[in-house]
Structure formats: C-alpha cells, structure tokens
Amino acid sequence: MPPLPTMVHSSSFLLPSPPPAPPADADAENGVSYAVVVLNQRLPRFAPLLWTRADLRVCADGGANRVFDGMPELLPGEDPDEVRTRYKPDAIEGDMDSVRPEVKEYYSSLGTQIIDDSHDQDTTDLNKCISFITKNPPGPDSSNLCILVLGALGGRFDHEMGNINVLYRFSNTRIILLSDDSSIFLLPRTHNHEIRIERSVEGPHCGLIPVGAPSSSSTTTGLRWNLDNTSMNFGGLLSTSNIVEEETVTVTSDSDLIWTISLRKHT
C-alpha cells in the first residue's frame, strides 16, 4: 500500500508581520490564497490583521453587524467611518434574518454583493458562505485556498457543532475555525499531517478529537503525551489537554480527527 501524502499546516497567518517565505517542498503553503468568513459572534482581536491578509472577505448574515460595530471598537484610535469604509466585505451571504437593514444598505451602497439565500433553510449560513467561496475562489488555484472563519466558537453549542460539521462537509477544503481562544481544523484520514507550531501565537495546550467516528489507530509525534496506534472514541479515550513539545507535530490516523490548539492572548 503506497504511503499517504503529507498535508502541511501552519498558523503563520496569525503572525503580526507577513508570513515568512515557505519552504521549497511542494506540500508547503506556496501561494496560499486566504478568504475570511465572519460569523455572528464577537470579533476576535486579530480580525483586522486577517481581514487585511485575505483576498476575499464574506460576512455570514449577522456577521456584517459584527464588522460594522466591531472593527471600529478594535481600532479605537481611528475614525469609525473611515474604518467601516476600509473594512468593507466583498459579500454578505445568508438568509438575511440577522443583518440589520441599515447595515445591509450601508455595505450595498459601497458595492458589497448581497446574496439572499433565504429560500435554503437546510444549510447553515457558514455552509452557504463556504459554498460561495469555493465556487468563487480568490486565487487562480483553488487547491491553495484556505478559509479562515472568525467567530466560529463561543455562543450556542448547536451553532458550534454546525460549524464543526462544515469542516466535514467540505473536507477537501482547508477551513480553520477561530476564536480569541482556539484554532480548530480537520485532519482528513486521507493524509499524514505535519503541523508547524507558531509558538509566539499558539499553544501549548492542544487536543485531537475523533468527531463523528471512532479512531482505532492514531499515532503522533511532538506532543507531551503522544499517541502510538492508540484507539480513541467518545465514551473512551480522547486526547484533550495535551501539550505541544516540539516545533512540529505529526499525526496519522485511520479516522478523520479534529485538531485544536490554544491561541496566546497577546496575538
């Protein structure tokens, strides 16, 4: 059986300076195009940084309210109207039951695309946003697309689970769920995974969680409590409150796993 291909992960997009040039290996983050999705939760402190770094910016319905109200709060030394003009979403997508009418009108007047999907009540607003982005990728190569979701954690638990479900529904797309406290993304079983730790912005606490299906064999390196062909399942062992020990963590599993790592507060 041929070895699995390796997928490389990095949180370099959180670094305050531009991400360093990636290594030359073909699996690294060469030419990554970032898209940002803003959900209807409080903006994380690093929202302006990621917004500036992104090539496409989409608000999920009430996420537009969060950008309109929250960006000036995160940049208190600047004129609020200038901030709102500068941090204008490219699109507002969803069923339009949460965005305030005056916010929708404000951004529409600035040229923001308004996509009313109220006819579709079977998918979440995040699901709709991811579909829109994957059909309209910001870069020439959609395989290098990485979608950063702000406000994905916190608030109602069913919303959080719906957001995690989107990782599985779009398992061929790199999607990272972000809050002030945590980063979460899917490690598909179709690949070996190399997670490059940015110690200045993340860690040391981390976890590996088999959401949706048990894992009968997971193996890691780089953690304080590594897994060695270990089985994990709800009702049994989960790798929570683990600690990153090395600059690189590797993960191989027979099941899709959720990787989560804490974010440092000064990010």
Side-chain angles (χ1 to χ4, degrees):
M1 188 173 179
L4 295 175
T6 297
M7 184 180 291
V8 178
H9 308 268
S10 169
S11 296
S12 60
F13 55 83
L14 284 171
L15 296 173
S17 57
D25 58 280
D27 292 318
E29 291 189 327
N30 288 302
V32 174
S33 294
Y34 291 108
V36 161
V37 176
V38 179
L39 301 184
N40 193 11
Q41 290 289 334
R42 184 175 60 86
L43 292 179
R45 60 196 177 280
F46 44 76
L49 170 69
L50 300 192
W51 189 280
T52 303
R53 197 151 280 170
D55 301 298
L56 179 63
R57 306 153 186 100
V58 180
C59 290
D61 197 358
N65 301 337
R66 300 291 181 161
V67 173
F68 186 88
D69 298 334
M71 283 297 190
E73 293 173 358
L74 290 172
L75 300 165
E78 302 187 34
D79 178 75
D81 291 331
E82 193 278 331
V83 169
R84 291 190 178 108
T85 301
R86 190 164 82 245
Y87 292 93
K88 173 189 74 71
D90 297 299
I92 301 173
E93 164 91 41
D95 55 17
M96 301 299 149
D97 64 348
S98 300
V99 61
R100 301 197 303 270
E102 68 272 17
V103 171
K104 184 168 68 170
E105 176 58 34
Y106 176 85
Y107 287 129
S108 178
S109 71
L110 293 178
T112 295
Q113 184 178 359
I114 309 296
I115 307 162
D116 186 340
D117 277 334
S118 55
H119 63 279
D120 175 11
Q121 293 297 311
D122 293 330
T123 60
T124 66
D125 285 339
L126 176 57
N127 197 118
K128 295 178 178 75
C129 289
I130 302 298
S131 293
F132 171 78
I133 293 168
T134 56
K135 292 172 184 173
N136 304 275
D141 184 359
S142 60
S143 67
N144 284 332
L145 172 65
C146 181
I147 302 174
L148 309 174
V149 184
L150 308 184
L153 307 167
R156 279 171 43 189
F157 180 68
D158 59 328
H159 283 168
E160 290 183 316
M161 293 305 294
N163 296 337
I164 290 171
N165 186 51
V166 166
L167 300 182
Y168 286 79
R169 294 191 71 163
F170 295 88
S171 60
N172 292 325
T173 301
R174 290 180 187 246
I175 303 171
I176 302 175
L177 307 181
L178 293 157
S179 72
D180 267 325
D181 303 302
S182 301
S183 168
I184 292 178
F185 52 86
L186 185 70
L187 304 180
R189 64 184 181 278
T190 52
H191 288 71
N192 295 320
H193 297 275
E194 182 178 306
I195 305 166
R196 297 176 180 174
I197 306 301
E198 299 289 350
R199 288 189 176 274
S200 64
V201 296
E202 64 184 347
H205 297 94
C206 65
L208 283 164
I209 305 171
V211 176
S215 166
S216 59
S217 177
S218 294
T219 297
T220 66
T221 66
L223 302 177
R224 180 170 297 177
W225 297 285
N226 279 309
L227 307 174
D228 183 8
N229 291 318
T230 305
S231 62
M232 294 192 294
N233 65 280
F234 279 88
L237 175 71
L238 299 177
S239 180
T240 60
S241 297
N242 213 325
I243 301 289
V244 170
E245 294 278 18
E246 305 293 339
E247 300 302 315
T248 298
V249 171
T250 67
V251 181
T252 302
S253 181
D254 64 344
S255 178
D256 298 339
L257 298 177
I258 292 289
W259 164 262
T260 180
I261 189 166
S262 58
L263 298 181
R264 296 185 182 273
K265 287 297 185 183
H266 61 264
T267 303

